[in-house]
Amino acid sequence: MSPEEWTYLVVLLISIPIGFLLLKKGQMGRAAAVGLGPHLFTCGPHTLHSLITILGTGPHSGPAPGDNCSCHALALAWTFSYLLLLGLPTPTPFTNAVQLLLTLKLVSLASEVQDLHLAQRKEMASGFSKGPTLGLLPDVPSLMETLSYSYCYVGIMTGPFFRYRTYLDWLEQPFPGAVPSLRPLLRRAWPAPLFGLLFLLSSHLFPLEAVREDAFYARPLPARLFYMIPVFFAFRMRFYVAWIAAECGCIAAGFGAYPVAAKARAGGGPTLQCPPPSSPEKAASLEYDYETIRNIDCYGTDFCVRVRDGMRYWNMTVQWWLAQYIYKSSAPAR
């Protein structure tokens, strides 16, 4: 394993006990301070890239309810334009990872703010106030709230992606001590050691570095084509371990936990309205799942028969982001 891979692994494993600690003490509001530490440590001065992106997106996500500008389109243009900047010093791989997740978050946040403005405009036009709408923000987040969401330690370098509404629901859990975390974590984590062992074994027997040697291209074409199979197998095993560990970090903190009755979707969150529990006893009696932060379906990815299904089971929260904010919102034709 490379030094970068070891760093990713250490950050992911450390996030698990931190999650248990924050959930036990009910101090989820400190998640941003916890996330800023490894960000500064791994990215150094390149942390400025994320800060500039956040400050540049802030004005784009807060026009008045009567304005006609599109928060989503402006945030999408700004964040992706920043990724194309040339002539800057080469950032670290960790900076690239943080910037990728940050781009997804800020575009999603701008879209959520735009939905809020549209709902407010409809209320003003109709003259009466409606009840709470599923997934709608209560108010436009301030700059400090945007910074807290952006630098939340949960998935800061590896994902999974989550909406601001999901982050807000986590902060405002009425009875966090009633949310199960240990058993769901163990159920999710059990295949990770097996995948890690398979990754080490396959990468040792079929190292990726071999394809960069001249001797590799002296082999017959069928042998070179066959070599792609174990190399891609090792690639999948590595991502399985990383994403399962990232999900475990979320589960340890109770992040993304919703009642099963809410029928949550990966990335998007609940699809059905569920009233919050009124007491710790009622909260403990509910059955929860962590589908909102589920990022990989290992079995579905390896054994699906269609490419479309394989894409749906791989990096599931980002697939939801693409469908919600690119395919549906930005595509010129359906």
Side-chain angles (χ1 to χ4, degrees):
M1 292 175 62
S2 66
E4 289 82 7
E5 290 172 334
W6 279 111
T7 302
Y8 277 120
L9 183 61
V10 169
V11 170
L12 288 171
L13 293 180
I14 288 178
S15 68
I16 295 175
I18 289 176
F20 281 122
L21 184 63
L22 292 179
L23 183 64
K24 181 178 179 180
K25 294 185 175 294
Q27 296 177 340
M28 287 84 80
R30 299 186 178 183
V34 175
L36 196 56
H39 184 25
L40 289 169
F41 177 74
T42 56
C43 301
H46 295 288
T47 304
L48 284 173
H49 291 301
S50 61
L51 183 59
I52 292 171
T53 306
I54 296 168
L55 295 178
T57 309
H60 300 162
S61 61
D67 292 349
N68 294 319
C69 63
S70 171
C71 308
H72 167 264
L74 289 172
L76 190 67
W78 160 247
T79 53
F80 276 83
S81 297
Y82 191 84
L83 295 176
L84 297 175
L85 287 178
L86 302 176
L88 296 176
T90 303
T92 66
F94 308 108
T95 306
N96 292 332
V98 172
Q99 199 70 17
L100 166 64
L101 270 300
L102 184 62
T103 298
L104 303 181
K105 286 182 177 181
L106 293 177
V107 172
S108 171
L109 175 58
S111 183
E112 291 183 84
V113 170
Q114 181 173 310
D115 291 341
L116 174 61
H117 290 160
L118 291 175
Q120 291 173 340
R121 193 179 307 171
K122 289 180 180 179
E123 285 187 4
M124 288 189 292
S126 62
F128 64 92
S129 178
K130 297 181 180 179
T133 305
L134 179 65
L136 199 66
L137 298 182
D139 201 357
V140 177
S142 65
L143 177 59
M144 286 303 300
E145 290 170 332
T146 302
L147 288 169
S148 298
Y149 167 60
S150 302
Y151 289 122
C152 176
Y153 82 96
V154 175
I156 190 170
M157 293 196 297
T158 59
F161 158 78
F162 52 88
R163 302 166 63 223
Y164 182 79
R165 177 74 256 186
T166 304
Y167 171 71
L168 199 60
D169 290 342
W170 179 59
L171 293 181
E172 296 178 350
Q173 283 178 347
F175 309 104
V179 177
S181 58
L182 180 58
R183 289 187 178 180
L185 184 147
L186 295 176
R187 285 198 301 266
R188 187 56 179 143
W190 75 263
L194 174 62
F195 293 147
L197 186 62
L198 291 173
F199 162 70
L200 294 174
L201 182 63
S202 57
S203 59
H204 175 72
L205 296 177
F206 301 93
L208 179 61
E209 291 74 17
V211 303
R212 300 188 178 96
E213 300 174 358
D214 294 336
F216 178 81
Y217 297 95
R219 301 179 184 180
L221 179 60
R224 283 180 280 160
L225 292 176
F226 169 79
Y227 203 87
M228 295 169 58
I229 298 175
V231 166
F232 186 50
F233 177 82
F235 172 84
R236 294 199 310 278
M237 295 302 108
R238 180 180 65 171
F239 272 88
Y240 288 172
V241 172
W243 280 335
I244 289 176
E247 289 181 35
C248 289
C250 296
I251 295 171
F255 191 99
Y258 290 99
V260 173
K263 295 187 181 300
R265 294 181 58 189
T271 58
L272 295 177
Q273 190 84 44
C274 284
S278 57
S279 66
E281 292 75 19
K282 290 185 177 180
S285 66
L286 293 174
E287 183 181 359
Y288 295 86
D289 65 33
Y290 287 87
E291 288 298 312
T292 301
I293 50 87
R294 190 180 185 189
N295 209 30
I296 186 69
D297 183 334
C298 305
Y299 182 85
T301 301
D302 267 54
F303 295 101
C304 64
V305 295
R306 297 190 303 175
V307 174
R308 181 179 181 180
D309 292 335
M311 292 178 63
R312 185 177 301 162
Y313 298 136
W314 176 270
N315 208 357
M316 297 165 68
T317 57
V318 175
Q319 295 299 333
W320 181 89
W321 184 93
L322 288 169
Q324 189 72 18
Y325 302 122
I326 303 298
Y327 305 149
K328 294 181 182 179
S329 302
S330 304
R334 189 169 181 81

